[in-house]
Amino acid sequence: TPPNASNATAVPFPPVTPPNASNATAVPFPPLTPPTAPPTAAPSTPNMALVLHSHSGAVVQAVAGSVSDGEGDYANNINQAVTVRGINCLLTFTSFSVEAGSNCRFDALHIEAEGGASRTLCGENKPEPIQLTGDAFTVRLVTDHSVTRSGFELTFTCEGASAPVTFPPVTPPNASNATAVPFPPLTPPTAPPTAAPSTPNMALVLH
């Protein structure tokens, strides 16, 4: 039976009292914690010992340490390098023996400075200390297929460690920055023309 005035019962609700100073309750919020500063990069390892044959390809931040080709004679047919990110570093050789040749064409030790002149070294004479400028340097040993020597060892001291190289993040395309590339409509291929039916009993006269 649908409700009507004769069988409907009114349901009473308590009156709604608007909040005011006398009945409002303060809701406590936890105190705001100020953001902490991002963690700083760990300090570079002092007196870092880098060996080409085990650290080749490495890029390190350092203010002091050494670079060498390792114990014993170096190998043939190698191209090994390490990069030190240090500011204005001084290189001092403690030992040096690299196969000599005209323009160091057989074996060579390359000191590749970022933002400064590079050096190519070979022979038996220990080079003089090298003062580099810039934010990084690379030590690279390149050898040919024959004759080896005991190699080299150098120490380096820098004014400070330079920041690592960073690259901007790659943003994937989405609905807001993607551009639709229109393509022309496809034209359905047409059917090849059909050959006309041959005429039966065709009479052909040469003249």
Side-chain angles (χ1 to χ4, degrees):
T1 304
N4 53 50
S6 62
N7 61 13
T9 303
V11 180
F13 288 91
V16 177
T17 305
N20 53 49
S22 62
N23 62 15
T25 304
V27 179
F29 287 91
L32 294 177
T33 304
T36 57
T40 56
S44 58
T45 303
N47 300 321
M48 179 177 289
L50 299 170
V51 180
L52 287 185
H53 64 72
S54 55
H55 297 111
S56 184
V59 178
V60 301
Q61 289 176 275
V63 294
S66 65
V67 183
S68 72
D69 64 290
E71 296 182 357
D73 290 358
Y74 53 73
N76 288 319
N77 299 315
I78 61 173
N79 185 342
Q80 300 171 340
V82 295
T83 297
V84 176
R85 295 202 59 79
I87 301 171
N88 299 337
C89 301
L90 175 65
L91 311 187
T92 303
F93 287 87
T94 56
S95 64
F96 190 85
S97 177
V98 175
E99 182 189 7
S102 176
N103 297 320
C104 298
R105 63 190 180 93
F106 298 131
D107 298 345
L109 181 69
H110 301 278
I111 308 296
E112 302 164 0
E114 182 179 299
S118 299
R119 312 286 182 89
T120 298
L121 308 170
C122 62
E124 303 298 324
N125 296 325
K126 188 168 62 176
E128 295 295 321
I130 301 174
Q131 177 65 63
L132 301 175
T133 58
D135 294 336
F137 68 91
T138 298
V139 178
R140 181 183 306 276
L141 179 62
V142 180
T143 67
D144 65 3
H145 64 281
S146 66
V147 183
T148 62
R149 294 286 189 269
S150 59
F152 74 98
E153 182 177 14
L154 63 84
T155 61
F156 63 88
T157 55
C158 309
E159 295 178 3
S162 55
V165 178
T166 59
F167 295 92
V170 176
T171 304
N174 52 49
S176 62
N177 62 15
T179 302
V181 179
F183 288 91
L186 295 176
T187 303
T190 57
T194 56
S198 59
T199 303
N201 302 320
M202 179 176 291
L204 300 174
V205 180
L206 288 181
H207 66 77

